[in-house]
């Protein structure tokens, strides 16, 4: 065996650790973040130490046959403790620190026991892949093997039940993460169970070493993959949700930006389009462009047109938000036309309308907020306002013109 699966699994786990390392450096005292990084780091270390080439290198460099075995078992035990601590940190509660201390002390004792039993035992023949079954009947070494397997099975069993039971009480990314973490722990239970069965078979004189050399590594690899994804999903899900919301809002504002496109181009009001940017950055760019255009159009906004449009739509729909959005859409569209065609504005002024570059009626107030801009864009997307007649001067009637 060349250990390719082990090294690939280790690489994926440590890549995730590298991604999280900057957060850990910025928040060194965050116990939750520390538990996540411990899970990723120790899981990768387990795969690295368990690879047959690594086993051979450790044994050769140390000069101690099978020294890689207790080191790997200690890493596995530490990973088990870190996984359980992560679950405890996730759940929270008034006794978190005490529970964490108990798990840490218990598995520290297991690591100490592994070291003592290996020192007391005798394992002179190097076994890179089947040490568990080869030394299953050797005094002290057998006890060391059973100790780490039972400790591992206990931790993953508790983690499985804790994660899946808690997953039923939450929603969203946390629920998906807990479900995947529970499934990964269940695969870990398959790892230790297969090895324990192989050891038990060795005690009864049978050779089921394939369970430890083929089935267990496959279960461990799948469990590590599910665990990593389960740990990362609750961290990534909020950001993905935010990006998806920003992407929808960005697309929603498209009709409004298209109405303002000519003005933005002619007056150089649009910032350079960001390249390879996140949806949130692109949304900010579009919102900034729209606000720049509306700020430039402030002198062309027609308050009388706004009031008439709002009253008409409100009477038809009895929806104040829709009426306000329709009024803004009409005013913005007309303001763009007036700004782009000064002669039309002059003609409007000659017939009693507003002079070029001056608002009609009192100011409209502040630029609409993000939610209002979305509603204005919806109006422009579904029913773009038709050309509007010049405002009728107050005190003038249109009746009796014949």
């Amino acid at each position: 065996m060349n250990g390719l699966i082990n090294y690939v699994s280790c690489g994926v786990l440590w890549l995730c650790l590298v991604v999280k390392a900057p957060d850990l450096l910025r928040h060194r005292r965050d116990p939750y973040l520390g538990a996540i990084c411990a899970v990723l780091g120790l899981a990768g270390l387990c795969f690295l130490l368990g690879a047959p080439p690594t086993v051979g290198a450790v044994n050769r460099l140390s000069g101690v046959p099978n020294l890689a075995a207790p080191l790997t078992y200690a890493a596995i035990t530490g990973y088990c403790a870190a996984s359980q601590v992560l679950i405890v940190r996730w759940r929270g509660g008034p006794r978190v620190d005490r529970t964490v201390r108990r798990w840490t002390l218990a598995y520290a004792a297991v690591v100490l026991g592994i070291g003592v039993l290996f020192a007391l035992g005798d394992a002179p023949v190097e076994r890179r892949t089947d040490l568990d079954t080869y030394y299953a009947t050797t005094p002290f070494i057998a006890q060391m093997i059973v100790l780490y397997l039972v400790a591992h099975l206990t931790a993953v069993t508790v983690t499985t039940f804790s994660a899946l039971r808690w997953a039923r009480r939450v929603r969203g990314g946390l629920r998906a993460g807990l479900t995947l973490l529970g499934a990964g722990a269940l695969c870990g239970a398959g790892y230790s169970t297969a090895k324990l069965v192989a050891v038990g078979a060795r005690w009864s004189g049978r050779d089921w070493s394939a369970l430890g050399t083929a089935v267990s590594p496959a279960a461990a690899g799948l469990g590590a993959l599910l665990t990593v994804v389960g740990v990362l999903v609750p961290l990534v899900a909020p950001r993905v949700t935010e990006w998806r919301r920003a992407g929808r809002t960005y697309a929603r504002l498209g009709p409004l930006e298209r109405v303002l496109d000519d003005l933005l181009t002619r007056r150089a009001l649009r910032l350079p389009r960001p390249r390879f940017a996140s949806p949130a950055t692109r949304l900010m760019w579009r919102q900034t462009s729209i606000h720049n255009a509306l700020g430039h159009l402030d002198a062309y906004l027609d308050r009388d047109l706004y009031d008439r449009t709002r009253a008409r739509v409100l009477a038809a729909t009895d929806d104040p938000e829709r009426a306000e959005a329709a009024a803004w859409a009409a005013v913005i569209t007309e303001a763009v036309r007036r700004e782009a065609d000064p002669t039309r504005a002059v003609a409007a002024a000659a017939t009693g309308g507003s002079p070029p570059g001056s608002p009609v009626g009192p100011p409209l107030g502040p630029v609409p907020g993000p939610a209002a801009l979305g509603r204005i864009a919806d109006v422009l997307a579904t029913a773009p306002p038709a050309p509007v007649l010049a405002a009728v001067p107050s005190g003038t009637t249109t009746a009796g013109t014949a």
Side-chain angles (χ1 to χ4, degrees):
M1 296 179 63
N2 58 12
L4 178 61
I5 295 178
N6 291 67
Y7 292 134
V8 170
S9 300
C10 175
V12 171
L13 288 160
W14 282 359
L15 178 61
C16 296
L17 177 61
V18 169
V19 171
K20 295 305 299 177
D23 293 337
L24 182 63
L25 292 176
R26 286 192 297 267
H27 309 284
R28 293 182 179 87
R29 298 187 178 181
D30 186 342
Y32 170 63
L33 189 58
I36 291 176
C37 291
V39 168
L40 296 174
L42 288 170
L45 184 61
C46 292
F47 281 104
L48 177 64
L49 292 175
T54 305
V55 171
V58 171
N59 295 338
R60 183 177 62 258
L61 293 175
S62 65
V64 179
N66 299 307
L67 178 63
L71 294 179
T72 303
Y73 298 163
I76 292 173
T77 303
Y79 164 73
C80 293
S83 298
Q84 189 56 38
V85 167
L86 177 60
I87 291 290
V88 172
R89 293 290 184 192
W90 258 351
R91 296 191 65 174
R95 295 183 294 179
V96 170
D97 292 335
R98 183 165 62 179
T99 304
V100 167
R101 281 195 299 270
R102 286 179 178 177
W103 277 103
T104 303
L105 291 174
Y107 278 85
V110 172
V111 171
L112 179 62
I114 290 172
V116 170
L117 289 171
F118 180 78
L120 294 174
D122 184 24
V125 180
E126 183 186 61
R127 308 299 298 185
R128 297 190 180 186
T129 60
D130 62 346
L131 183 140
D132 308 86
T133 51
Y134 187 86
Y135 287 106
T137 58
T138 302
F140 298 113
I141 301 298
Q143 285 77 11
M144 177 191 71
I145 294 168
V146 172
L147 175 62
Y148 104 84
L149 288 176
V150 170
H152 179 268
L153 182 60
T154 301
V156 294
T157 300
V158 173
T159 301
T160 300
F161 281 104
S162 299
L164 295 181
R165 181 173 56 190
W166 187 25
R168 293 183 297 179
R169 304 176 185 175
V170 295
R171 293 290 182 271
L174 182 57
R175 182 174 190 174
L178 287 169
T179 302
L180 289 168
L181 189 61
L186 186 61
C187 290
Y191 164 85
S192 51
T193 299
K195 282 190 172 288
L196 281 171
V197 170
V199 169
R202 182 73 175 83
W203 291 343
S204 62
R206 297 181 177 85
D207 182 12
W208 290 0
S209 58
L211 288 175
T213 58
V215 176
S216 290
L222 179 59
L225 174 63
L226 293 174
T227 298
V228 172
V229 177
V231 168
L232 296 180
V233 161
L235 302 177
V236 174
R239 183 171 298 179
V240 171
T241 300
E242 178 186 351
W243 285 356
R244 185 168 53 188
R245 185 184 302 116
R248 287 199 299 262
T249 305
Y250 175 86
R252 184 185 184 189
L253 292 177
L256 177 55
E257 189 190 15
R258 284 191 289 273
V259 169
L260 301 170
D261 183 70
D262 178 67
L263 170 64
L264 289 167
T265 302
R266 282 189 296 102
R267 301 297 183 181
L269 299 174
R270 182 187 279 116
L271 297 175
R273 182 184 294 271
R275 294 173 178 264
F276 310 109
S278 68
T281 300
R282 290 190 289 115
L283 172 61
M284 184 178 299
W285 170 80
R286 177 162 279 182
Q287 288 175 332
T288 301
S289 299
I290 291 172
H291 279 96
N292 289 344
L294 294 182
H296 180 80
L297 289 175
D298 185 64
Y300 298 88
L301 299 179
D302 189 335
R303 180 57 186 260
D304 291 343
L305 174 61
Y306 175 89
D307 290 338
R308 293 198 311 274
T309 306
R310 186 180 185 281
R312 174 174 54 80
V313 177
L314 183 62
T317 64
D318 197 28
D319 185 341
E321 288 187 347
R322 179 174 177 79
E324 182 180 0
W328 270 107
V331 166
I332 291 171
T333 303
E334 180 63 14
V336 169
R337 292 171 182 149
R338 295 180 66 206
E339 193 277 340
D341 187 4
T343 58
R344 184 175 182 273
V346 171
T351 59
S354 60
S358 63
V360 179
L364 281 176
V367 175
L373 288 178
R375 291 191 292 269
I376 295 170
D378 292 341
V379 172
L380 293 171
T382 55
V388 184
L389 297 176
V392 178
S394 56
T396 303
T397 178
T398 57
T401 59

PDB file of all heavy atoms in Angstrom, residues 351-384:
ATOM      1  N   THR A 351     -44.563  76.152 -21.602  1.00  0.00           N
ATOM      2  CA  THR A 351     -46.003  75.894 -21.512  1.00  0.00           C
ATOM      3  C   THR A 351     -46.510  75.938 -20.088  1.00  0.00           C
ATOM      4  O   THR A 351     -47.612  75.495 -19.788  1.00  0.00           O
ATOM      5  CB  THR A 351     -46.313  74.511 -22.100  1.00  0.00           C
ATOM      6  OG1 THR A 351     -45.567  73.517 -21.375  1.00  0.00           O
ATOM      7  CG2 THR A 351     -45.946  74.449 -23.566  1.00  0.00           C
ATOM      8  N   GLY A 352     -45.669  76.426 -19.201  1.00  0.00           N
ATOM      9  CA  GLY A 352     -46.123  76.542 -17.820  1.00  0.00           C
ATOM     10  C   GLY A 352     -45.534  75.497 -16.912  1.00  0.00           C
ATOM     11  O   GLY A 352     -45.861  75.479 -15.726  1.00  0.00           O
ATOM     12  N   GLY A 353     -44.679  74.617 -17.438  1.00  0.00           N
ATOM     13  CA  GLY A 353     -44.066  73.597 -16.595  1.00  0.00           C
ATOM     14  C   GLY A 353     -42.878  74.171 -15.849  1.00  0.00           C
ATOM     15  O   GLY A 353     -42.655  75.374 -15.801  1.00  0.00           O
ATOM     16  N   SER A 354     -42.079  73.269 -15.278  1.00  0.00           N
ATOM     17  CA  SER A 354     -40.930  73.714 -14.496  1.00  0.00           C
ATOM     18  C   SER A 354     -39.800  74.096 -15.429  1.00  0.00           C
ATOM     19  O   SER A 354     -39.665  73.549 -16.505  1.00  0.00           O
ATOM     20  CB  SER A 354     -40.471  72.588 -13.566  1.00  0.00           C
ATOM     21  OG  SER A 354     -40.098  71.461 -14.325  1.00  0.00           O
ATOM     22  N   PRO A 355     -38.963  75.067 -15.047  1.00  0.00           N
ATOM     23  CA  PRO A 355     -37.799  75.435 -15.860  1.00  0.00           C
ATOM     24  C   PRO A 355     -36.769  74.332 -15.840  1.00  0.00           C
ATOM     25  O   PRO A 355     -36.780  73.468 -14.983  1.00  0.00           O
ATOM     26  CB  PRO A 355     -37.279  76.698 -15.163  1.00  0.00           C
ATOM     27  CG  PRO A 355     -37.764  76.596 -13.757  1.00  0.00           C
ATOM     28  CD  PRO A 355     -39.078  75.899 -13.838  1.00  0.00           C
ATOM     29  N   PRO A 356     -35.845  74.323 -16.796  1.00  0.00           N
ATOM     30  CA  PRO A 356     -34.855  73.268 -16.866  1.00  0.00           C
ATOM     31  C   PRO A 356     -34.027  73.195 -15.593  1.00  0.00           C
ATOM     32  O   PRO A 356     -33.564  74.199 -15.066  1.00  0.00           O
ATOM     33  CB  PRO A 356     -33.985  73.672 -18.065  1.00  0.00           C
ATOM     34  CG  PRO A 356     -34.800  74.640 -18.845  1.00  0.00           C
ATOM     35  CD  PRO A 356     -35.682  75.318 -17.869  1.00  0.00           C
ATOM     36  N   GLY A 357     -33.842  71.958 -15.123  1.00  0.00           N
ATOM     37  CA  GLY A 357     -32.957  71.724 -13.991  1.00  0.00           C
ATOM     38  C   GLY A 357     -33.512  72.147 -12.660  1.00  0.00           C
ATOM     39  O   GLY A 357     -32.779  72.324 -11.707  1.00  0.00           O
ATOM     40  N   SER A 358     -34.833  72.388 -12.562  1.00  0.00           N
ATOM     41  CA  SER A 358     -35.407  72.748 -11.267  1.00  0.00           C
ATOM     42  C   SER A 358     -36.525  71.787 -10.933  1.00  0.00           C
ATOM     43  O   SER A 358     -37.269  71.358 -11.802  1.00  0.00           O
ATOM     44  CB  SER A 358     -35.950  74.178 -11.306  1.00  0.00           C
ATOM     45  OG  SER A 358     -37.003  74.257 -12.253  1.00  0.00           O
ATOM     46  N   PRO A 359     -36.670  71.408  -9.655  1.00  0.00           N
ATOM     47  CA  PRO A 359     -37.716  70.470  -9.273  1.00  0.00           C
ATOM     48  C   PRO A 359     -39.077  71.110  -9.364  1.00  0.00           C
ATOM     49  O   PRO A 359     -39.225  72.328  -9.326  1.00  0.00           O
ATOM     50  CB  PRO A 359     -37.348  70.121  -7.827  1.00  0.00           C
ATOM     51  CG  PRO A 359     -36.578  71.307  -7.337  1.00  0.00           C
ATOM     52  CD  PRO A 359     -35.860  71.838  -8.518  1.00  0.00           C
ATOM     53  N   VAL A 360     -40.078  70.286  -9.508  1.00  0.00           N
ATOM     54  CA  VAL A 360     -41.461  70.750  -9.542  1.00  0.00           C
ATOM     55  C   VAL A 360     -42.064  70.458  -8.184  1.00  0.00           C
ATOM     56  O   VAL A 360     -42.145  69.311  -7.765  1.00  0.00           O
ATOM     57  CB  VAL A 360     -42.251  70.016 -10.639  1.00  0.00           C
ATOM     58  CG1 VAL A 360     -43.709  70.495 -10.634  1.00  0.00           C
ATOM     59  CG2 VAL A 360     -41.616  70.276 -11.995  1.00  0.00           C
ATOM     60  N   GLY A 361     -42.498  71.500  -7.464  1.00  0.00           N
ATOM     61  CA  GLY A 361     -43.083  71.295  -6.152  1.00  0.00           C
ATOM     62  C   GLY A 361     -42.005  71.130  -5.101  1.00  0.00           C
ATOM     63  O   GLY A 361     -40.809  71.273  -5.358  1.00  0.00           O
ATOM     64  N   PRO A 362     -42.416  70.838  -3.859  1.00  0.00           N
ATOM     65  CA  PRO A 362     -41.458  70.657  -2.763  1.00  0.00           C
ATOM     66  C   PRO A 362     -40.525  69.488  -3.039  1.00  0.00           C
ATOM     67  O   PRO A 362     -40.838  68.595  -3.829  1.00  0.00           O
ATOM     68  CB  PRO A 362     -42.379  70.370  -1.562  1.00  0.00           C
ATOM     69  CG  PRO A 362     -43.737  70.857  -1.958  1.00  0.00           C
ATOM     70  CD  PRO A 362     -43.809  70.678  -3.437  1.00  0.00           C
ATOM     71  N   PRO A 363     -39.343  69.450  -2.388  1.00  0.00           N
ATOM     72  CA  PRO A 363     -38.415  68.334  -2.582  1.00  0.00           C
ATOM     73  C   PRO A 363     -39.048  67.005  -2.198  1.00  0.00           C
ATOM     74  O   PRO A 363     -39.913  66.934  -1.327  1.00  0.00           O
ATOM     75  CB  PRO A 363     -37.246  68.687  -1.655  1.00  0.00           C
ATOM     76  CG  PRO A 363     -37.363  70.163  -1.408  1.00  0.00           C
ATOM     77  CD  PRO A 363     -38.824  70.483  -1.480  1.00  0.00           C
ATOM     78  N   LEU A 364     -38.581  65.947  -2.841  1.00  0.00           N
ATOM     79  CA  LEU A 364     -39.141  64.613  -2.573  1.00  0.00           C
ATOM     80  C   LEU A 364     -38.578  63.969  -1.318  1.00  0.00           C
ATOM     81  O   LEU A 364     -39.075  62.937  -0.880  1.00  0.00           O
ATOM     82  CB  LEU A 364     -38.869  63.691  -3.772  1.00  0.00           C
ATOM     83  CG  LEU A 364     -39.797  63.880  -4.965  1.00  0.00           C
ATOM     84  CD1 LEU A 364     -39.373  62.984  -6.105  1.00  0.00           C
ATOM     85  CD2 LEU A 364     -41.232  63.577  -4.565  1.00  0.00           C
ATOM     86  N   GLY A 365     -37.530  64.534  -0.769  1.00  0.00           N
ATOM     87  CA  GLY A 365     -36.956  63.942   0.434  1.00  0.00           C
ATOM     88  C   GLY A 365     -35.771  63.059   0.095  1.00  0.00           C
ATOM     89  O   GLY A 365     -35.225  63.109  -1.010  1.00  0.00           O
ATOM     90  N   PRO A 366     -35.350  62.239   1.050  1.00  0.00           N
ATOM     91  CA  PRO A 366     -34.139  61.428   0.848  1.00  0.00           C
ATOM     92  C   PRO A 366     -34.322  60.376  -0.235  1.00  0.00           C
ATOM     93  O   PRO A 366     -35.432  59.981  -0.577  1.00  0.00           O
ATOM     94  CB  PRO A 366     -33.929  60.770   2.224  1.00  0.00           C
ATOM     95  CG  PRO A 366     -35.297  60.760   2.853  1.00  0.00           C
ATOM     96  CD  PRO A 366     -35.981  61.997   2.366  1.00  0.00           C
ATOM     97  N   VAL A 367     -33.179  59.933  -0.771  1.00  0.00           N
ATOM     98  CA  VAL A 367     -33.188  58.865  -1.770  1.00  0.00           C
ATOM     99  C   VAL A 367     -33.752  57.595  -1.145  1.00  0.00           C
ATOM    100  O   VAL A 367     -33.485  57.298   0.020  1.00  0.00           O
ATOM    101  CB  VAL A 367     -31.747  58.628  -2.285  1.00  0.00           C
ATOM    102  CG1 VAL A 367     -31.697  57.438  -3.227  1.00  0.00           C
ATOM    103  CG2 VAL A 367     -31.236  59.876  -2.972  1.00  0.00           C
ATOM    104  N   PRO A 368     -34.559  56.846  -1.874  1.00  0.00           N
ATOM    105  CA  PRO A 368     -35.136  55.623  -1.310  1.00  0.00           C
ATOM    106  C   PRO A 368     -34.053  54.661  -0.809  1.00  0.00           C
ATOM    107  O   PRO A 368     -32.953  54.577  -1.362  1.00  0.00           O
ATOM    108  CB  PRO A 368     -35.903  55.017  -2.493  1.00  0.00           C
ATOM    109  CG  PRO A 368     -36.171  56.160  -3.397  1.00  0.00           C
ATOM    110  CD  PRO A 368     -35.020  57.104  -3.238  1.00  0.00           C
ATOM    111  N   GLY A 369     -34.384  53.906   0.240  1.00  0.00           N
ATOM    112  CA  GLY A 369     -33.468  52.934   0.794  1.00  0.00           C
ATOM    113  C   GLY A 369     -33.399  51.679  -0.057  1.00  0.00           C
ATOM    114  O   GLY A 369     -34.091  51.552  -1.080  1.00  0.00           O
ATOM    115  N   PRO A 370     -32.568  50.683   0.368  1.00  0.00           N
ATOM    116  CA  PRO A 370     -32.383  49.464  -0.426  1.00  0.00           C
ATOM    117  C   PRO A 370     -33.676  48.718  -0.714  1.00  0.00           C
ATOM    118  O   PRO A 370     -33.900  48.275  -1.844  1.00  0.00           O
ATOM    119  CB  PRO A 370     -31.434  48.627   0.440  1.00  0.00           C
ATOM    120  CG  PRO A 370     -30.683  49.637   1.263  1.00  0.00           C
ATOM    121  CD  PRO A 370     -31.671  50.714   1.534  1.00  0.00           C
ATOM    122  N   ALA A 371     -34.542  48.592   0.289  1.00  0.00           N
ATOM    123  CA  ALA A 371     -35.793  47.864   0.069  1.00  0.00           C
ATOM    124  C   ALA A 371     -36.688  48.599  -0.925  1.00  0.00           C
ATOM    125  O   ALA A 371     -37.299  47.989  -1.810  1.00  0.00           O
ATOM    126  CB  ALA A 371     -36.515  47.662   1.399  1.00  0.00           C
ATOM    127  N   ALA A 372     -36.757  49.934  -0.786  1.00  0.00           N
ATOM    128  CA  ALA A 372     -37.582  50.731  -1.703  1.00  0.00           C
ATOM    129  C   ALA A 372     -37.019  50.686  -3.118  1.00  0.00           C
ATOM    130  O   ALA A 372     -37.779  50.629  -4.097  1.00  0.00           O
ATOM    131  CB  ALA A 372     -37.673  52.172  -1.207  1.00  0.00           C
ATOM    132  N   LEU A 373     -35.691  50.683  -3.251  1.00  0.00           N
ATOM    133  CA  LEU A 373     -35.103  50.587  -4.589  1.00  0.00           C
ATOM    134  C   LEU A 373     -35.482  49.272  -5.264  1.00  0.00           C
ATOM    135  O   LEU A 373     -35.742  49.236  -6.480  1.00  0.00           O
ATOM    136  CB  LEU A 373     -33.573  50.685  -4.493  1.00  0.00           C
ATOM    137  CG  LEU A 373     -32.984  52.054  -4.151  1.00  0.00           C
ATOM    138  CD1 LEU A 373     -31.470  51.964  -4.057  1.00  0.00           C
ATOM    139  CD2 LEU A 373     -33.406  53.100  -5.173  1.00  0.00           C
ATOM    140  N   GLY A 374     -35.543  48.201  -4.497  1.00  0.00           N
ATOM    141  CA  GLY A 374     -35.967  46.923  -5.061  1.00  0.00           C
ATOM    142  C   GLY A 374     -37.391  46.978  -5.566  1.00  0.00           C
ATOM    143  O   GLY A 374     -37.706  46.458  -6.653  1.00  0.00           O
ATOM    144  N   ARG A 375     -38.274  47.610  -4.810  1.00  0.00           N
ATOM    145  CA  ARG A 375     -39.672  47.720  -5.260  1.00  0.00           C
ATOM    146  C   ARG A 375     -39.797  48.606  -6.495  1.00  0.00           C
ATOM    147  O   ARG A 375     -40.603  48.333  -7.390  1.00  0.00           O
ATOM    148  CB  ARG A 375     -40.537  48.256  -4.118  1.00  0.00           C
ATOM    149  CG  ARG A 375     -40.698  47.275  -2.955  1.00  0.00           C
ATOM    150  CD  ARG A 375     -41.766  47.743  -1.990  1.00  0.00           C
ATOM    151  NE  ARG A 375     -41.375  48.960  -1.274  1.00  0.00           N
ATOM    152  CZ  ARG A 375     -40.733  48.975  -0.104  1.00  0.00           C
ATOM    153  NH1 ARG A 375     -40.371  47.826   0.459  1.00  0.00           N
ATOM    154  NH2 ARG A 375     -40.436  50.113   0.500  1.00  0.00           N
ATOM    155  N   ILE A 376     -38.994  49.679  -6.552  1.00  0.00           N
ATOM    156  CA  ILE A 376     -39.008  50.538  -7.746  1.00  0.00           C
ATOM    157  C   ILE A 376     -38.545  49.749  -8.964  1.00  0.00           C
ATOM    158  O   ILE A 376     -39.133  49.839 -10.057  1.00  0.00           O
ATOM    159  CB  ILE A 376     -38.104  51.766  -7.518  1.00  0.00           C
ATOM    160  CG1 ILE A 376     -38.676  52.647  -6.408  1.00  0.00           C
ATOM    161  CG2 ILE A 376     -37.946  52.572  -8.815  1.00  0.00           C
ATOM    162  CD1 ILE A 376     -37.723  53.743  -5.949  1.00  0.00           C
ATOM    163  N   ALA A 377     -37.491  48.962  -8.791  1.00  0.00           N
ATOM    164  CA  ALA A 377     -37.011  48.136  -9.900  1.00  0.00           C
ATOM    165  C   ALA A 377     -38.056  47.127 -10.331  1.00  0.00           C
ATOM    166  O   ALA A 377     -38.201  46.832 -11.530  1.00  0.00           O
ATOM    167  CB  ALA A 377     -35.716  47.426  -9.483  1.00  0.00           C
ATOM    168  N   ASP A 378     -38.820  46.573  -9.382  1.00  0.00           N
ATOM    169  CA  ASP A 378     -39.886  45.631  -9.735  1.00  0.00           C
ATOM    170  C   ASP A 378     -40.941  46.306 -10.607  1.00  0.00           C
ATOM    171  O   ASP A 378     -41.434  45.712 -11.577  1.00  0.00           O
ATOM    172  CB  ASP A 378     -40.553  45.084  -8.464  1.00  0.00           C
ATOM    173  CG  ASP A 378     -39.618  44.191  -7.670  1.00  0.00           C
ATOM    174  OD1 ASP A 378     -38.626  43.707  -8.246  1.00  0.00           O
ATOM    175  OD2 ASP A 378     -39.889  43.979  -6.464  1.00  0.00           O
ATOM    176  N   VAL A 379     -41.294  47.546 -10.281  1.00  0.00           N
ATOM    177  CA  VAL A 379     -42.278  48.274 -11.089  1.00  0.00           C
ATOM    178  C   VAL A 379     -41.733  48.496 -12.493  1.00  0.00           C
ATOM    179  O   VAL A 379     -42.431  48.286 -13.499  1.00  0.00           O
ATOM    180  CB  VAL A 379     -42.620  49.627 -10.428  1.00  0.00           C
ATOM    181  CG1 VAL A 379     -43.484  50.480 -11.367  1.00  0.00           C
ATOM    182  CG2 VAL A 379     -43.341  49.401  -9.108  1.00  0.00           C
ATOM    183  N   LEU A 380     -40.479  48.884 -12.589  1.00  0.00           N
ATOM    184  CA  LEU A 380     -39.880  49.116 -13.907  1.00  0.00           C
ATOM    185  C   LEU A 380     -39.756  47.834 -14.714  1.00  0.00           C
ATOM    186  O   LEU A 380     -39.809  47.850 -15.944  1.00  0.00           O
ATOM    187  CB  LEU A 380     -38.499  49.758 -13.742  1.00  0.00           C
ATOM    188  CG  LEU A 380     -38.493  51.177 -13.163  1.00  0.00           C
ATOM    189  CD1 LEU A 380     -37.076  51.610 -12.844  1.00  0.00           C
ATOM    190  CD2 LEU A 380     -39.137  52.153 -14.150  1.00  0.00           C
ATOM    191  N   ALA A 381     -39.589  46.699 -14.032  1.00  0.00           N
ATOM    192  CA  ALA A 381     -39.453  45.423 -14.734  1.00  0.00           C
ATOM    193  C   ALA A 381     -40.777  44.914 -15.256  1.00  0.00           C
ATOM    194  O   ALA A 381     -40.846  44.301 -16.331  1.00  0.00           O
ATOM    195  CB  ALA A 381     -38.833  44.376 -13.800  1.00  0.00           C
ATOM    196  N   THR A 382     -41.868  45.181 -14.520  1.00  0.00           N
ATOM    197  CA  THR A 382     -43.166  44.630 -14.911  1.00  0.00           C
ATOM    198  C   THR A 382     -43.960  45.577 -15.806  1.00  0.00           C
ATOM    199  O   THR A 382     -44.621  45.141 -16.737  1.00  0.00           O
ATOM    200  CB  THR A 382     -43.995  44.312 -13.655  1.00  0.00           C
ATOM    201  OG1 THR A 382     -44.098  45.491 -12.834  1.00  0.00           O
ATOM    202  CG2 THR A 382     -43.322  43.221 -12.837  1.00  0.00           C
ATOM    203  N   ALA A 383     -43.876  46.886 -15.521  1.00  0.00           N
ATOM    204  CA  ALA A 383     -44.670  47.843 -16.299  1.00  0.00           C
ATOM    205  C   ALA A 383     -43.931  49.170 -16.355  1.00  0.00           C
ATOM    206  O   ALA A 383     -44.206  50.081 -15.581  1.00  0.00           O
ATOM    207  CB  ALA A 383     -46.055  48.039 -15.670  1.00  0.00           C
ATOM    208  N   PRO A 384     -42.946  49.302 -17.248  1.00  0.00           N
ATOM    209  CA  PRO A 384     -42.209  50.574 -17.354  1.00  0.00           C
ATOM    210  C   PRO A 384     -43.163  51.739 -17.599  1.00  0.00           C
ATOM    211  O   PRO A 384     -44.093  51.630 -18.414  1.00  0.00           O
ATOM    212  CB  PRO A 384     -41.308  50.357 -18.567  1.00  0.00           C
ATOM    213  CG  PRO A 384     -41.201  48.857 -18.698  1.00  0.00           C
ATOM    214  CD  PRO A 384     -42.519  48.313 -18.235  1.00  0.00           C
TER     215      PRO A 384
END
